[in-house]
Amino acid sequence: MKQICVIGVGYVGLVTAACFADLGNRVVALDVDRQRVENLKKGIMPIYEPGLEELVKRNTKGGRLSFTTSYAEALKGAEFAFIAVGTPSGVDGNADLQYVDAAARSIAQNMTVPLIIINKSTVPIGTGDWVADIVKSAQPKPIDFAVVSCPEFLREGSAIGDFMSPHRNVIGSLDKDAANKVAQLHLPLRSPIVITDLRTAEMIKYASNAFLATKISFMNELADLCELVGADVKEVAAGMGYDARIGRHFLDAGLGWGGSCFPKDVEALAYMAKEKGLNPRILHQVMEVNYDRRKAVVGHLEKLLNGSLQGKAIGLLGLAFKPNTDDMRDAPSIDISNSLLAAGANVRGYDPVARRIAAPLMPAVEIFDDVYKMAQGCDALVVVTEWNEFKQLDLEKVKGLLKCPVIYDGRNIYDPAALKTMGFTYRAIGRGFNGH
Ligand code: UDX
Ligand code: UDX
């Protein structure tokens, strides 16, 4: 059993804290948000993540997991302190490190015994060294510490599984002893462990996310060509994926990537390259291809509806940036609804869990709590997020409710032939042969 402190109980911090507690460690999780901490003490989760509530409750009950707003309490006796605060995009595209700065200073002022400080948040290359400088200068009296980078690779919606069965854990530090201690902490996970220096570890995180985003943008560009030449991008992806050099994951064409990580990480990596005098051409194109997916929806709907969207009712199936989360950060639904509204459409939306969080972000969109109620009288539906619930909709019923039986399937969840047979005007992404 190790004593661990986790700073920040958002999507990453809370999963990290609960999982380390479940592995038998004693974890104190800290957040500066008092309400969040009070709620967690009562078993109320700040986010929707499958399996998290049960994990938090079990470990809180077992005395391995507790919550506080006090750094002194969180650090008391801790050997490890994970920093998992947010690192959003700043105004110029670089990561905003004000929360990491605040966490580092508070650690320095409250630590009483030697400590290994671990950056879990995604931070620009060189941040580990910067954190070390902050801690050193903010300590009231010198106490030994080491800074280690251990980036997160948790996908929202499957974060607990990703934590417990990781593809790898990356641990970066120039302090070999500290790196080995962090490696020990991860041994129960039986994953490959890559031990490297701080800056390389920080780069591995950006490189991984940027590469995954590149795979998706590549497939999206290919999807447009598939449509025009009569190929089916889903089958193309399946055929490519058998090649181990390519891999079968992250080849799904659709409305593109969003969320709390890919957009800010690709942008921050491009910013770092530019700052060093490079021209990150691929990264720029990866972003451009991605954001064009969202802009193109209006044009596709105009074609399907044979004219302007003025006064047309368009229903969005799914608002969260991906299924199994309530996260709306850089969700494609926001840009898509804005462009539909600008084109004169009346926009409606439904999401199984993100409705409450989505509503204030899209005040001009009518949010429904029932998918069939939303469909009633719509001129077209757009599949924005591939929630399982939508895969098994009663499509005959939906057809009866729609003003026009039009579906634009932005996530390729339906069988084009089946929908055509049912009498839908159906358009999928990149499915030239089957779709038209
Ligand atoms: C994380 C990482 O930090 C980010 O770098 C990574 O790329 C994605 O995941 P996430 O868990 O999604 O961020 O952030 P968020 O859900 O916003 O949670 C951050 C938490 O830190 C919040 O609860 C916030 O209140 C807390 N916080 C913030 C602190 O405790 N201290 C601060 O100084 C600032
Ligand atoms: C990502 C990383 O995958 C994870 O390792 C961590 O660094 C946090 O960021 P997350 O953003 O939660 O995870 O979800 P992910 O499953 O990676 O999806 C990101 C976006 O890509 C979503 O908008 C999703 O819809 C989109 N996507 C994903 C596709 O469009 N096609 C795909 O084939 C896969």
Side-chain angles (χ1 to χ4, degrees), residues 110-322:
N110 289 282
M111 62 188 279
T112 53
V113 290
L115 187 67
I116 297 175
I117 300 165
I118 307 158
N119 261 336
K120 185 67 45 207
S121 303
T122 307
V123 288
I125 292 103
T127 302
D129 295 326
W130 175 76
V131 164
D133 289 344
I134 292 173
V135 174
K136 209 169 177 179
S137 64
Q139 280 182 330
K141 63 173 185 325
I143 303 173
D144 268 359
F145 73 92
V147 175
V148 175
S149 165
C150 181
E152 56 88 12
F153 298 100
L154 310 176
R155 286 166 302 170
E156 287 177 25
S158 54
I160 293 168
D162 286 349
F163 186 98
M164 291 300 192
S165 312
H167 294 285
R168 79 306 208 181
N169 276 294
V170 174
I171 296 166
S173 182
L174 290 178
D175 182 330
K176 288 288 163 240
D177 185 45
N180 284 331
K181 283 184 175 151
V182 178
Q184 291 282 333
L185 211 52
H186 291 84
L187 280 187
L189 301 174
R190 298 171 180 275
S191 67
I193 293 180
V194 178
I195 297 187
T196 180
D197 63 88
L198 253 179
R199 287 173 184 239
T200 304
E202 289 166 345
M203 180 54 106
I204 289 172
K205 172 59 199 264
Y206 278 105
S208 301
N209 272 2
F211 186 73
L212 292 170
T214 303
K215 268 181 111 172
I216 300 166
S217 282
F218 177 85
M219 291 311 290
N220 280 329
E221 185 159 285
L222 212 68
D224 290 345
L225 182 58
C226 283
E227 270 172 41
L228 296 175
V229 299
D232 184 328
V233 77
K234 263 191 119 160
E235 290 174 24
V236 171
M240 289 164 67
Y242 282 108
D243 188 327
R245 293 171 302 174
I246 297 171
R248 65 191 161 83
H249 301 290
F250 282 65
L251 296 178
D252 291 334
L255 293 174
W257 39 267
S260 65
C261 288
F262 285 4
K264 77 169 172 55
D265 292 351
V266 179
E267 202 172 355
L269 189 59
Y271 179 91
M272 283 183 264
K274 261 176 74 184
E275 247 202 334
K276 293 289 176 200
L278 299 174
N279 179 12
R281 282 166 295 182
I282 293 179
L283 297 178
H284 285 144
Q285 292 302 312
V286 165
M287 289 189 271
E288 197 176 319
V289 168
N290 189 58
Y291 291 106
D292 280 354
R293 310 300 293 169
R294 304 177 184 187
K295 290 185 205 147
V297 172
V298 166
H300 292 312
L301 281 173
E302 282 170 346
K303 263 192 212 150
L304 287 172
L305 291 169
N306 299 315
S308 155
L309 300 186
Q310 190 65 43
K312 296 270 163 46
I314 310 294
L316 304 183
L317 292 171
L319 302 171
F321 86 93
K322 63 177 281 191

